[in-house]
């Protein structure tokens, strides 16, 4: 997958350029929140900035760091799934992770993968939450107190990433910790269990306190506290959550229709389970050697999935995940209720319940519009792999008993998964095909489509010809990748001005930054912002800022790129 998708991971205009630009400026000594407008936690920008300060700026070096995060995420997922479903289920789930989540591109806009994520807080936060769960599981297995400290530390670091990731991680880790403390209270006494709880709390508070202390050195204490909170002050801000962009991704713009699709998708899952049970019982009864049973079940199930479901249904495999995970959680909860307290499998069942809670809450941002692409490359990942593990290991334990039928079930499941993965890889191939033109040089080289490559090259050429030197440039409404590739700063600190940023920071605050530190030039890119439901920059939103820019700058050159269209604006000469 790494070789097949090589250098096609970033998008030239959307989101990932912000991640690079912010890390580059931090490496150059600028301070997050003071010099750079930012609304997530400080962990990821400072990690990437420290990495750039160590190895130098370069997309390739950030991708290398992200690859290490992706590998660590895979190891943590495998470790957890081995504990709750066995090595076979964990291995199959890990293959699904590699094929459908790590580097694949399923949309025309890139950035929704582990190697060039639209927000590093997503991937870093996920890995930290998985580490917290894994550390508690390790404590249950070994009794080592340090693992409780590791779990708390990991969850505290996750607090410094993204709010929705932390909420899910806190729920899953909290449930696992509650089970653990209850078991320890019975085995070693309530006082020692309380000590473990205090250790967890202190370890969780430590990174948050250190981050606040470090930031307070460079800014007033009250600003440092607000900075450490990241997006939390804005989590329930109505004018942000009310944007069509977020409502649509949650599924609230057409809730009835989305709920119907979810229920239909859940019905497809039930039908698939029924089909696999029929194949398992039918093929398993034949007097065939094991390879024949496996091959027959695989072919029958794959053919039925390909013919009976269709491409659209296969691509919508993530739609019913909230219901699927809820059903899995109910089944695991029922099993937990029946198990005696001293049963050796109880700790694994409790870990499975914690993972169910984590997976379900992680889907909250797209509860009625779940998918494994877009935000789903992180938010739907644990739910998807949990589903694979349940279908491979848990369901056949209770529904398929003779060994031959269980072999047929698993072979048939492999056939269905192969079809689902194949359809997604086919879409990924279509999305990847236009990304064949190189942009950037050396470690900043990546591949994109011809139109975007032309725009990037012509913006750099026009800016250099008209400005030269180290003149500053603001790319509006977004396009921080251009700032990064040209190594030109945006003195305002607001590297993209989309409707969420305007509502989060306030237009007055952004306008004040432009007035105080006006850039030497503006590159105005015509973009389709209809997904936000606010109209175009300067017209549907940020009108006051748009009027001020038009009073201070005038179009000086038309970028020759046809799509998207762009113009270079220079300051109005002072008479």
């Amino acid at each position: 997958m790494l070789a097949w998708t090589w250098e096609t991971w970033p998008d030239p205009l959307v989101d990932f350029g912000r991640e690079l630009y912010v890390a580059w400026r931090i490496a150059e000594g600028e301070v997050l929140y003071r010099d750079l407008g930012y609304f997530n936690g400080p962990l990821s920008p400072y990690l990437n900035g420290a990495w750039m300060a160590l190895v130098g700026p370069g997309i390739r070096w950030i991708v290398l760091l992200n690859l290490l995060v992706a590998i660590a995420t895979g190891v943590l997922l495998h470790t957890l799934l081995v504990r709750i479903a066995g090595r076979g289920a964990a291995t199959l789930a890990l293959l699904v992770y590699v094929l459908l989540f790590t580097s694949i591109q399923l949309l025309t806009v890139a950035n929704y993968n582990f190697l060039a994520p639209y927000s590093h807080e997503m991937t870093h936060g996920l890995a930290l939450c998985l580490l917290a769960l894994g550390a508690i599981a390790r404590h249950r297995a070994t009794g080592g107190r340090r693992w409780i400290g590791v779990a708390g530390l990991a969850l505290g670091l996750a607090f410094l990433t993204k709010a929705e990731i932390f909420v899910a991680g806190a729920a899953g880790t909290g449930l696992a910790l509650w089970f653990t403390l209850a078991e320890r209270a019975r085995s070693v006494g309530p006082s020692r269990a309380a000590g473990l709880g205090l250790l967890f709390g202190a370890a969780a508070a430590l990174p948050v306190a250190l981050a606040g202390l470090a930031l307070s050195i460079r800014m007033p204490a009250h600003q440092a506290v607000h900075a450490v909170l990241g997006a939390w002050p804005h989590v329930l801000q109505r004018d942000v959550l009310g944007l069509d962009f977020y409502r649509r991704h949650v599924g609230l713009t057409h809730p009835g229709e989305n709920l119907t699709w979810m229920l239909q998708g859940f019905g497809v899952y039930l039908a698939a389970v029924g089909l696999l049970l029929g194949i398992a019982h039918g093929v398993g009864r034949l007097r065939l050697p094991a390879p024949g049973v496996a091959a027959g079940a695989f072919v029958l199930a794959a053919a039925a999935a390909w013919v009976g479901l269709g491409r659209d249904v296969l691509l919508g495999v993530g739609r019913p995940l909230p219901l699927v995970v809820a059903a899995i959680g109910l089944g695991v909860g029922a099993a937990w209720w029946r198990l005696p307290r001293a049963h050796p499998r109880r700790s694994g069942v409790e870990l499975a319940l914690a993972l169910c809670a984590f997976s379900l809450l992680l889907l909250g941002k797209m509860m009625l519009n779940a998918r494994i692409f877009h935000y789903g490359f992180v938010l739907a990942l644990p739910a998807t792999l949990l589903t694979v593990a349940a279908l491979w290991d848990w369901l056949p334990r209770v529904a398929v008993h003779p060994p031959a039928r269980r072999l047929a079930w698993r072979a048939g499941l492999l056939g269905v998964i192969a079809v689902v993965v194949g359809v997604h890889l086919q879409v990924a191939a279509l999305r990847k095909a236009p990304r064949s033109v190189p942009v950037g040089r050396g470690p900043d080289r990546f591949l994109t489509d011809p139109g975007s490559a032309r725009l990037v090259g012509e913006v750099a050429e026009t800016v250099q010809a008209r400005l030269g030197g180290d003149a500053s440039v603001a790319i509006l409404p977004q396009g921080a990748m251009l700032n990064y590739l040209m190594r030109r700063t945006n003195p305002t600190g607001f590297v993209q001005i989309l409707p969420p940023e305007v509502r989060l920071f306030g237009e007055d605050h952004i306008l004040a930054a432009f007035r105080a530190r006006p850039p030497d030039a503006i590159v105005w890119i015509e973009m389709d912002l209809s997904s936000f439901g606010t109209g175009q920059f300067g017209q549907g939103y940020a009108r006051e800022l748009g009027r001020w820019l038009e009073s201070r700058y005038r179009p000086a050159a038309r970028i020759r790129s046809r799509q998207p269209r762009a113009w270079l604006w220079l300051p109005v000469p002072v008479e």
Side-chain angles (χ1 to χ4, degrees):
M1 289 301 296
L2 192 65
W4 182 51
T5 60
W6 187 253
E7 293 185 336
T8 64
W9 313 295
D11 191 274
L13 293 178
V14 179
D15 291 337
F16 186 64
R18 173 200 60 207
E19 303 291 294
L20 296 169
Y21 179 86
V22 168
W24 168 53
R25 297 316 304 157
I26 288 175
E28 293 293 319
E30 292 189 10
V31 178
L32 200 66
Y33 310 113
R34 189 193 70 184
D35 306 318
L36 299 163
Y38 207 73
F39 54 83
N40 285 324
L43 178 66
S44 297
Y46 274 101
L47 175 63
N48 291 337
W51 180 249
M52 275 198 181
L54 179 66
V55 302
I59 294 176
R60 188 174 302 165
W61 312 136
I62 290 294
V63 166
L64 175 60
L65 181 61
N66 291 339
L67 178 60
L68 297 177
V69 173
I71 292 171
T73 301
V75 170
L76 290 167
L77 285 166
H78 187 269
T79 301
L80 289 169
L81 292 173
V82 163
R83 289 184 180 276
I84 65 176
R87 191 167 300 277
T91 302
L92 178 60
L94 201 64
L95 286 173
V96 172
Y97 164 65
V98 171
L99 292 170
L100 294 187
F101 293 92
T102 52
S103 63
I104 198 172
Q105 301 283 6
L106 295 171
L107 299 173
T108 53
V109 176
N111 301 330
Y112 301 108
N113 57 81
F114 274 76
L115 301 184
Y118 80 96
S119 170
H120 282 87
E121 288 82 6
M122 297 286 283
T123 53
H124 295 165
L126 175 66
L128 288 167
C129 291
L130 292 172
L131 176 59
L133 283 169
I136 290 180
R138 185 68 175 167
H139 169 77
R140 293 290 294 269
T142 66
R145 289 172 57 88
R146 67 182 182 277
W147 292 110
I148 292 294
V150 170
L153 188 65
L155 191 63
L157 289 170
F159 180 86
L160 301 175
T161 60
K162 212 166 172 64
E164 60 265 35
I165 301 293
F166 173 77
V167 168
T173 305
L175 185 58
L177 181 66
W178 183 78
F179 284 136
T180 300
L181 295 182
E183 187 275 331
R184 289 293 181 255
R186 291 191 298 268
S187 60
V188 299
S191 60
R192 291 192 179 184
L196 290 176
L198 290 174
L199 173 62
F200 178 89
L206 181 62
V208 180
L210 291 177
L213 181 63
L215 288 170
S216 67
I217 297 173
R218 309 296 294 274
M219 62 183 69
H222 70 279
Q223 292 183 8
V225 171
H226 191 274
V228 166
L229 293 176
W232 280 100
H234 313 289
V235 165
L236 299 178
Q237 194 171 325
R238 288 187 176 182
D239 57 346
V240 176
L241 298 179
L243 284 170
D244 285 351
F245 181 80
Y246 294 113
R247 287 173 54 80
R248 186 174 60 257
H249 287 302
V250 176
L252 294 177
T253 50
H254 301 93
E257 184 178 345
N258 286 324
L259 181 59
T260 299
W261 286 345
M262 182 192 293
L263 292 171
Q264 289 175 347
F266 189 66
V268 169
Y269 269 72
L270 294 178
V273 168
L275 173 67
L276 289 175
L277 286 174
I279 290 175
H281 284 268
V283 176
R285 293 175 62 183
L286 300 176
R287 295 182 179 179
L288 294 173
V293 169
F298 180 91
V299 171
L300 284 174
W306 178 256
V307 175
L309 296 181
R311 183 172 178 270
D312 291 342
V313 174
L314 293 169
L315 291 174
V317 69
R319 273 278 185 184
L321 278 176
L323 294 177
V324 172
V325 174
I328 292 172
L330 289 174
V332 175
W336 173 80
W337 185 262
R338 291 194 301 267
L339 283 177
R341 287 183 176 180
H343 198 283
R345 289 183 54 205
R346 191 176 177 87
S347 63
V349 173
E350 290 174 346
L351 178 61
L353 272 175
L355 192 57
C356 285
F358 175 58
S359 302
L360 188 60
L361 283 177
L362 208 57
L363 291 168
K365 191 175 180 178
M366 50 181 192
M367 184 60 68
L368 294 178
N369 188 21
R371 57 225 183 258
I372 66 171
F373 51 89
H374 199 243
Y375 295 153
F377 83 99
V378 165
L379 298 181
L381 173 59
T384 303
L385 301 196
L386 185 66
T387 301
V388 170
L391 291 174
W392 179 268
D393 186 72
W394 299 341
L395 195 148
R397 283 180 183 270
V398 297
V400 187
H401 295 293
R405 293 180 183 178
R406 190 169 295 176
L407 173 64
W409 165 274
R410 288 175 170 165
L413 178 63
L414 285 176
V416 174
I417 290 176
V419 171
V420 172
V421 170
V423 168
H424 283 81
L425 293 180
Q426 184 182 37
V427 172
L430 295 175
R431 297 286 185 252
K432 189 179 79 72
R435 298 185 180 120
S436 58
V437 182
V439 170
R441 297 178 180 178
D444 283 326
R445 183 182 187 272
F446 67 96
L447 301 176
T448 189
D449 62 276
S452 297
R454 189 180 304 114
L455 173 68
V456 171
E458 290 174 359
V459 166
E461 180 183 332
T462 303
V463 168
Q464 184 64 29
R466 298 300 295 265
L467 298 177
D470 297 323
S472 60
V473 179
I475 314 291
L476 300 176
Q478 69 173 334
M481 177 70 82
L482 302 176
N483 284 98
Y484 170 77
L485 292 175
M486 295 186 296
R487 298 296 193 271
R488 291 183 181 270
T489 60
N490 178 340
T492 70
F494 295 100
V495 296
Q496 64 182 34
I497 304 179
L498 296 172
E501 282 79 7
V502 173
R503 298 193 182 189
L504 285 167
F505 296 114
E507 186 176 356
D508 292 343
H509 188 198
I510 297 173
L511 178 56
F514 271 83
R515 283 174 170 163
R517 300 177 297 277
D520 297 319
I522 302 287
V523 172
W524 205 310
I525 302 176
E526 189 177 272
M527 290 185 172
D528 179 14
L529 301 180
S530 59
S531 61
F532 292 99
T534 57
Q536 294 300 311
F537 172 76
Q539 299 174 11
Y541 75 100
R543 295 185 181 126
E544 189 177 348
L545 176 60
R547 284 193 294 269
W548 183 85
L549 291 171
E550 290 175 351
S551 70
R552 292 291 304 270
Y553 296 83
R554 289 287 184 271
R558 163 75 189 277
I559 308 298
R560 295 192 302 273
S561 173
R562 294 182 179 179
Q563 189 66 29
R565 295 185 297 176
W567 296 263
L568 177 69
W569 288 45
L570 296 178
V572 175
V574 178
E575 297 181 0

